[in-house]
Amino acid sequence: NAGVTQTPKFQVLKTGQSMTLQCAQDMNHNSMYWYRQDPGMGLRLIYYSASEGTTDKGEVPNGYNVSRLNKREFSLRLESAAPSQTSVYFCASSSGQGLYEQYFGPGTRLTVT
Amino acid sequence: QKEVEQNSGPLSVPEGAIASLNCTYSDRVSQSFFWYRQYSGKSPELIMSIYSNGDKEDGRFTAQLNKASQYVSLLIRDSQPSDSATYLCAVRNSGGYQKVTFGTGTKLQVIP
């Protein structure tokens, strides 16, 4: 039982390049989330998926797209990376019921030069 | 006003003491409250959740919720150096999409 996994762990991109961050969970959770964490800003929600087949914008969606591939997998795509997207990205999942506790993956540290 | 506010710290306590971490929130109809621990360079780890007024204890940790005053706190008894981390307060709001808002965290240092 791995919980929430993310790939890659580290990535360096040049401005304008694209990439996809992968996230998978094995807890049979309905809801999945993408956050970014920047110093002094806390965790900010980029996109979320309340259930398979649905996705919605969070607080800071500009420059990102997402795909809920199936119940297990939720990917985040940067189409044209910008230095402002340098951050640590966390994927999280939640059962979508009860207290809605979220469980986080290990994160991806992204640097855009 | 920030939705979830925490003192950034650092909060320094000696080993064996009680560490008290506080958090206030602005949405009066918030429904669930969480404390996460985040070690440097690691991801947030859920340590406590609470949804009703009063205290909830789990080992050395006690979460306290006061909805009338809109604050939630975390007490860590018998603090250990391994408790040194940043503690994030998170609040699930009344929005229909399970929105959880995180504070920026309080850094705790436990001095041996």
Side-chain angles (χ1 to χ4, degrees):
Chain A
N1 191 337
V4 181
T5 57
Q6 292 182 238
T7 56
K9 286 187 168 53
F10 301 93
Q11 184 71 49
V12 179
L13 290 178
K14 293 189 188 314
T15 297
Q17 288 185 320
S18 62
M19 78 162 295
T20 300
L21 282 64
Q22 305 285 355
C23 174
Q25 53 90 11
D26 63 3
M27 295 179 281
N28 199 35
H29 281 170
N30 291 312
S31 303
M32 298 184 74
Y33 311 82
W34 277 105
Y35 292 91
R36 59 179 289 174
Q37 187 175 40
D38 303 291
M41 301 291 290
L43 284 158
R44 292 183 292 170
L45 183 65
I46 305 171
Y47 271 93
Y48 70 99
S49 171
S51 61
E52 186 179 355
T54 69
T55 61
D56 278 290
K57 296 177 181 178
E59 184 184 352
V60 288
N62 291 345
Y64 305 95
N65 284 301
V66 292
S67 296
R68 181 78 182 264
L69 303 169
N70 47 56
K71 191 172 185 178
R72 289 187 64 246
E73 299 173 286
F74 189 38
S75 63
L76 178 72
R77 183 159 178 85
L78 287 69
E79 290 292 351
S80 178
S84 61
Q85 294 178 305
T86 293
S87 189
V88 181
Y89 291 85
F90 291 106
C91 177
S93 72
S94 164
S95 66
Q97 303 173 54
L99 294 180
Y100 298 89
E101 297 162 331
Q102 294 186 14
Y103 298 89
F104 285 80
T108 295
R109 190 171 294 273
L110 175 66
T111 302
V112 183
T113 61
Chain B
Q1 182 187 7
K2 289 183 181 178
E3 292 184 59
V4 179
E5 292 210 52
Q6 297 182 255
N7 188 318
S8 61
L11 172 66
S12 294
V13 299
E15 183 174 355
I18 296 175
S20 178
L21 304 159
N22 299 312
C23 170
T24 57
Y25 60 93
S26 60
D27 184 351
R28 277 205 158 272
V29 294
S30 296
Q31 299 182 5
S32 316
F33 307 84
F34 311 97
W35 283 100
Y36 286 83
R37 177 176 62 199
Q38 187 173 25
Y39 293 113
S40 181
K42 301 295 186 182
S43 60
E45 174 193 7
L46 180 67
I47 53 173
M48 291 288 288
S49 56
I50 187 168
Y51 66 94
S52 59
N53 276 327
D55 296 359
K56 180 181 178 182
E57 188 174 316
D58 184 359
R60 295 186 297 112
F61 298 99
T62 299
Q64 299 175 317
L65 175 61
N66 183 324
K67 289 188 176 181
S69 300
Q70 294 176 243
Y71 82 79
V72 56
S73 60
L74 180 70
L75 301 179
I76 306 175
R77 289 181 300 282
D78 188 24
S79 295
Q80 300 297 308
S82 58
D83 294 325
S84 297
T86 296
Y87 289 80
L88 306 177
C89 173
V91 176
R92 184 171 80 86
N93 304 110
S94 54
Y97 64 87
Q98 312 158 25
K99 179 185 176 185
V100 174
T101 303
F102 288 81
T104 53
T106 298
K107 186 171 184 178
L108 173 67
Q109 295 176 338
V110 180
I111 312 300

